[in-house]
Amino acid sequence: MSNRSQEICGPRTTQTIEPHSKITFKRKKENPPILTGVLTRLKPLRLLLLLLYILRSSLNSLTQKMDAIDSVVDPLREFSKDSIRLVKRCHKPDRKEFSKVALRTAIGFVVMGFVGFFVKLIFIPINNIIVGSV
């Protein structure tokens, strides 16, 4: 009857029943996780170096992702800064300045109209000569 053992409380504990003795509970030893065992045996400096290496490798991948995002965001940021600077420097023209700009724009329209008219006037006879000869 000395080998009468039963597992009652699950995988972690066992209850041993022997004749004429007290009931005792024994805990099964759990193996600590591998990383925990490694970290407890390392010296502080080596532990720090290991952590820095892990952080650096994770930061490298994060840095590559951030560089890709920055290549898209940076031109937009620059454009917005330039636009804000332009709007701050602009002012509403007074009557004299507006009339100058309007007059120069009208002169530009008239000059471009005459250039187009004369080009068309020259190329109509040349076009008739080319089409008439065929």
Side-chain angles (χ1 to χ4, degrees):
M1 303 273 290
S2 64
N3 291 336
R4 288 183 5 180
S5 299
Q6 296 177 357
E7 253 187 57
I8 296 174
C9 299
R12 288 191 173 178
T13 59
T14 57
Q15 181 182 16
T16 308
I17 301 174
E18 295 182 12
H20 308 293
S21 67
K22 293 182 181 178
I23 297 175
T24 58
F25 291 96
K26 294 181 182 177
R27 275 202 171 271
K28 288 184 177 179
K29 266 191 169 179
E30 289 186 24
N31 294 330
I34 294 171
L35 188 59
T36 306
V38 169
L39 292 180
T40 55
R41 280 183 249 135
L42 286 177
K43 293 182 179 178
L45 182 60
R46 288 186 180 174
L47 175 63
L48 182 63
L49 290 174
L50 176 67
L51 291 175
L52 287 175
Y53 176 75
I54 293 170
L55 284 174
R56 190 182 78 187
S57 62
S58 63
L59 284 176
N60 284 341
S61 63
L62 182 64
T63 304
Q64 290 172 352
K65 291 176 186 175
M66 290 301 293
D67 287 343
I69 292 172
D70 283 344
S71 67
V72 174
V73 173
D74 282 343
L76 296 175
R77 188 178 295 134
E78 257 184 65
F79 176 75
S80 65
K81 284 181 183 179
D82 291 342
S83 300
I84 290 170
R85 190 176 330 132
L86 175 70
V87 169
K88 284 182 180 178
R89 289 195 63 187
C90 290
H91 65 280
K92 187 175 180 180
D94 56 352
R95 189 167 189 82
K96 183 179 177 184
E97 186 179 3
F98 178 77
S99 60
K100 281 183 182 179
V101 171
L103 179 67
R104 291 176 180 158
T105 304
I107 291 172
F109 271 105
V110 170
V111 169
M112 291 304 290
F114 276 117
V115 168
F117 175 74
F118 286 118
V119 167
K120 188 73 170 175
L121 189 66
I122 293 171
F123 280 103
I124 287 176
I126 295 174
N127 194 14
N128 286 336
I129 293 170
I130 294 172
V131 173
S133 66
V134 175

